[in-house]
């Protein structure tokens, strides 16, 4: 049903918040950016990791890019960036996580070139 169009086709997810069926994951190269340091804190998988990192005062904080699988945030981590959490507001934390997300994507894409 899902035939790969080209070897260099890449599908990226950004806040899609849906489970991707296994047959789709098997036939497409799909990666997701996740604004939680799930490589260090697996409990930040799933929805609203930024808020949970704030409430739980997690340190460090960061973002990852990972392969998409049918499991929620279960795929292989392809890149990650973390920072020491010195944030004094949730808005500051969101800004720091935005920065770590952009850097995670840059590291991942640099490895693809």
């Amino acid at each position: 049903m899902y035939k790969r169009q080209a070897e260099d086709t890449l599908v990226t997810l950004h806040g899609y918040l849906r489970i991707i069926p296994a047959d789709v994951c098997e036939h497409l190269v799909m990666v997701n950016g996740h604004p939680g340091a799930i490589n260090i804190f697996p409990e930040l998988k799933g929805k609203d990791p930024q808020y949970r990192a704030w409430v739980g005062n997690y340190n460090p904080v960061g973002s990852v890019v990972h392969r998409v699988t049918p499991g929620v945030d279960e795929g292989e981590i392809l890149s990650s960036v973390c920072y020491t959490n010195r944030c004094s507001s949730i808005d500051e934390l969101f800004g720091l996580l935005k920065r770590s997300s952009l850097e995670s994507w840059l590291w991942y894409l640099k490895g693809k070139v």
Side-chain angles (χ1 to χ4, degrees):
M1 179 175 185
Y2 299 96
K3 293 185 179 179
R4 190 184 245 168
Q5 298 297 315
E7 287 299 315
D8 60 354
T9 300
L10 175 66
V11 178
T12 63
L13 304 179
H14 306 270
Y16 184 64
L17 300 176
R18 302 286 185 275
I19 302 297
I20 306 297
D23 63 327
V24 176
C25 292
E26 291 171 9
H27 291 90
L28 295 172
V29 177
M30 300 179 76
V31 294
N32 181 49
H34 185 80
I38 59 176
N39 53 329
I40 301 169
F41 306 111
E43 64 272 20
L44 291 177
K45 293 178 181 180
K47 192 170 184 262
D48 300 326
Q50 311 94 316
Y51 178 74
R52 290 185 281 136
W54 173 254
V55 170
N57 197 28
Y58 280 72
N59 200 6
V61 294
S63 299
V64 304
V65 172
H66 66 86
R67 290 206 186 280
V68 174
T69 65
V72 176
D73 298 324
E74 292 293 330
E76 172 191 7
I77 294 173
L78 305 170
S79 67
S80 68
V81 172
C82 291
Y83 291 103
T84 300
N85 183 0
R86 296 187 180 112
C87 300
S88 59
S89 71
I90 194 167
D91 289 337
E92 190 177 349
L93 176 65
F94 273 57
L96 187 60
L97 289 172
K98 178 181 177 181
R99 177 179 172 185
S100 70
S101 179
L102 292 171
E103 288 186 31
S104 291
W105 278 107
L106 287 173
W107 280 111
Y108 170 71
L109 293 171
K110 281 183 179 183
K112 300 301 288 174
V113 176

